[in-house]
Amino acid sequence: MANLRLRYLSQLLDVPPNGEFVIGRSRDCQLALEDPLVSRRHAAFRWSGARLVVEDLGSRNGVKVNDNKITGVKDLVPDDVVVIGGQTFVVVEGEHADTRDVRRVAVTMTSEIGEAGTPLALLGGVVEKAFAMGRIDDAERILTNLLTDMLAGFDAGKRDNGALPDATRFALRLAGETGKSQWVDWVFNAHAALSKVPPAATVDELYLLARKIRYPVTVAFKNYIAKMKDQAGLLGPAERFALQRIEGLMRVLMA
């Protein structure tokens, strides 16, 4: 059953055919989690012949498979649920993932696993690693799920939990790397849903990026301008100035 993989949040992780995939708080681990329930070297996934196994490395809080605490090494089969600290991994079969080159990933969480422990915060390190390695397709695959879910939450009335600046940065990075206008649209759609004006640095980046990718005047762009102009009376001076610059961007693109 060598096609087994691990699903963590919305992502799939491959266990290398040789060696092991260690999870813990130490940055020497293949997946490092600053989860207070996770030990420095908590657990390891590895292949034993054709069998995928998990081993508790002497952790403080143990490893559970299907709600049963294990001792030593445990064989895994599809649909097994492995709990390590406050994190859940599901064993899946036959789904594509290519994370073999992602070896050491630092994932940051708050000590209380609160709003800062969102999927974007948890997988930001994976995305940064993918960009650094030039694996743009991997970064886009990860971010597509994360950003789509985030925008759906904003549209449904969910408030910003502080992730919008990083999400905007990733979306604009994707636009620059792929040349796809949909990621600039994401920025305008997200800010429209939250009735926010991007900071000056983001507006500067939008000007540079719009020219680079030849960004068209999209429906998302027009809708954002219309909504924010209707709310201009509620904006502060800096926000009104930034909005005027975004309106100016429309004129530049239509010239």
Side-chain angles (χ1 to χ4, degrees), residues 10-175:
S10 60
Q11 307 307 313
L12 291 168
L13 305 174
D14 279 329
V15 177
N18 299 308
E20 57 187 9
F21 191 90
V22 179
I23 296 173
R25 291 204 330 273
S26 171
R27 293 189 178 271
D28 292 331
C29 296
Q30 277 68 40
L31 182 60
L33 299 164
E34 291 186 16
D35 178 340
L37 300 178
V38 173
S39 299
R40 286 185 58 78
R41 285 176 55 86
H42 195 113
F45 293 93
R46 68 173 69 89
W47 289 101
S48 178
R51 297 175 295 116
L52 179 65
V53 302
V54 63
E55 180 182 3
D56 184 348
L57 300 178
S59 65
R60 181 178 67 255
N61 292 307
V63 175
K64 289 184 178 181
V65 176
N66 301 328
D67 287 330
N68 296 313
K69 198 167 185 178
I70 70 170
T71 56
V73 178
K74 170 71 174 176
D75 287 3
L76 298 173
V77 297
D79 298 324
D80 277 348
V81 177
V82 182
V83 176
I84 297 172
Q87 313 307 308
T88 299
F89 299 80
V90 180
V91 180
V92 296
E93 183 176 17
E95 297 184 61
H96 174 71
D98 186 7
T99 56
R100 286 169 293 180
D101 291 334
V102 180
R103 287 294 177 259
R104 291 183 176 84
V105 180
V107 179
T108 302
M109 300 180 66
T110 60
S111 60
E112 296 180 358
I113 320 299
E115 289 184 335
T118 60
L120 183 66
L122 293 171
L123 289 170
V126 178
V127 174
E128 295 283 11
K129 184 73 171 181
F131 276 131
M133 295 168 61
R135 301 174 68 92
I136 308 305
D137 288 346
D138 287 347
E140 186 172 30
R141 185 171 61 248
I142 295 169
L143 286 171
T144 294
N145 292 334
L146 297 177
L147 296 180
T148 299
D149 290 346
M150 182 180 293
L151 182 57
F154 294 158
D155 286 337
K158 185 177 180 180
R159 67 185 179 87
D160 175 27
N161 57 12
L164 183 61
D166 281 340
T168 296
R169 176 171 58 86
F170 282 135
L172 294 180
R173 176 76 181 272
L174 272 182

